[in-house]
Amino acid sequence: GKRKTIHSLLVASLHPVRLLVICVVPLDNKINKMSVFGKRKAQEQELPSGSRRLLNLGSFSLAPLPWHPRALEPVMSAPAILSHYEEQRRHLHELNSIVTETPLAHCSLLELVLQAAHLHSQQEKGSVLSRVCLNAAQLWNHSFFFDSLCPPSVDPSSGRVRLVSPPPCLRVLLDRHFGGVHAFRERFTAAALEHFGSGWLWLVQAPRDGALLLLSTHDAENPLPRGLKPLLSLDLWEHAYLHDFGGDRTLYVSAFWLVVNWARVEERLHAPCL
């Protein structure tokens, strides 16, 4: 079946797969048209470091994926990607239906995310403001996640999907903070499998000393309100790996390594913090 085929593909590509977890602190300041979410008829204002802030002058909207839904095959199927993508319409609909009734109506998506942790802790669970922040964070998180993926690399001689190494400058940092790329994958994988319930796993960079770290968050929480710079993320909500992997998180995490967009991670590394 589909899962057996995927399992064989992963075994052939990853050889024994080891698990690794990483946290990194500052943030990727790029909220641009490659992001999945933006504001309809929004005005854009240039920010330092070439990032853009979307101003809230209309309803939030769902933009296209940064690649064709079939682009990640055979690692992740088009039906799985579309199902995952369409799941965000629920968050989008709820955000648009309630945000206009709050003092946050003129905030950008990024501004909502930056306030999410504070407001969520100050508000009763299920309150309007809490729901606004939760849905905004889920939209931002998914935009970041989809933009962290890219089509798999195929070995021309064998036709098999193969692992791609991070760029040299990123490898240097992974060596310094995790003991190497392989050790990083092991730790990131272990952290993903040990994470209880729904949430996210992030590779982040700390602003003070530039250290790379692993950060595990629950529900819709992300690193931005903590002043950390996200470089890479993994969606650990079950809907992300139910279709192709039957809810098997181990297979899902193994497949993730075959479609990581290391070039994008490197861009985020060199981008200024928000």
Side-chain angles (χ1 to χ4, degrees):
K2 171 70 174 174
R3 272 187 287 165
K4 185 175 181 181
T5 301
I6 292 175
H7 178 70
S8 300
L9 170 68
L10 296 175
V11 169
S13 302
L14 293 178
H15 231 38
V17 175
R18 295 188 178 181
L19 311 181
L20 165 66
V21 183
I22 303 176
C23 288
V24 184
V25 187
L27 148 80
D28 172 9
N29 298 336
K30 277 192 164 182
I31 296 185
N32 54 26
K33 58 186 178 182
M34 288 302 287
S35 297
V36 178
F37 308 97
K39 278 290 201 170
R40 189 160 51 235
K41 298 180 181 179
Q43 295 179 348
E44 292 185 345
Q45 174 182 347
E46 285 292 343
L47 293 178
S49 76
S51 60
R52 292 179 179 273
R53 165 177 275 166
L54 295 171
L55 302 180
N56 287 347
L57 301 179
S59 299
F60 288 102
S61 60
L62 194 61
L65 288 163
W67 21 254
H68 192 280
R70 293 169 55 186
L72 304 189
E73 293 180 345
V75 179
M76 295 180 182
S77 71
I81 293 298
L82 289 173
S83 175
H84 192 177
Y85 176 73
E86 289 298 318
E87 176 74 16
Q88 306 323 304
R89 292 192 184 278
R90 177 172 59 85
H91 298 295
L92 180 72
H93 175 74
E94 182 168 6
L95 177 61
N96 282 333
S97 67
I98 62 178
V99 70
T100 55
E101 304 170 6
T102 73
L104 305 176
H106 295 288
C107 290
S108 68
L109 189 67
L110 176 59
E111 289 167 337
L112 291 177
V113 170
L114 291 173
Q115 297 184 64
H118 172 71
L119 290 174
H120 190 65
S121 65
Q122 299 297 317
Q123 297 290 322
E124 270 187 46
K125 187 175 181 180
S127 70
V128 173
L129 287 180
S130 176
R131 287 160 54 206
V132 165
C133 292
L134 183 146
N135 284 288
Q138 279 292 67
L139 293 178
W140 194 97
N141 290 355
H142 279 88
S143 174
F144 188 92
F145 171 68
F146 288 131
D147 201 29
S148 296
L149 308 179
C150 67
S153 174
V154 178
D155 187 322
S157 59
S158 66
R160 291 181 175 177
V161 175
R162 60 188 176 186
L163 283 171
V164 174
S165 296
C169 65
L170 187 55
R171 288 204 304 270
V172 169
L173 291 178
L174 294 177
D175 287 345
R176 180 183 306 162
H177 299 291
F178 297 99
V181 176
H182 183 68
F184 163 71
R185 286 198 185 101
E186 286 187 331
R187 290 176 56 191
F188 191 99
T189 303
L193 299 184
E194 291 168 3
H195 182 98
F196 181 77
S198 301
W200 299 83
L201 182 60
W202 307 82
L203 171 63
V204 299
Q205 186 177 40
R208 291 187 179 180
D209 57 8
L212 299 190
L213 312 167
L214 282 180
L215 178 66
S216 182
T217 64
H218 288 279
D219 300 323
E221 185 183 359
N222 80 32
L224 298 184
R226 304 185 187 199
L228 301 177
K229 182 180 186 179
L231 303 178
L232 178 67
S233 70
L234 177 62
D235 187 348
L236 295 177
W237 285 71
E238 190 177 31
H239 64 248
Y241 53 96
L242 186 60
H243 188 283
D244 276 351
F245 307 103
D248 189 328
R249 189 181 284 182
T250 300
L251 280 180
Y252 166 64
V253 177
S254 298
F256 168 73
W257 293 117
L258 297 173
V259 290
V260 170
N261 188 345
W262 289 116
R264 189 71 181 94
V265 175
E266 183 181 32
E267 288 177 14
R268 292 165 175 166
L269 180 66
H270 296 304
C273 298
L274 289 180

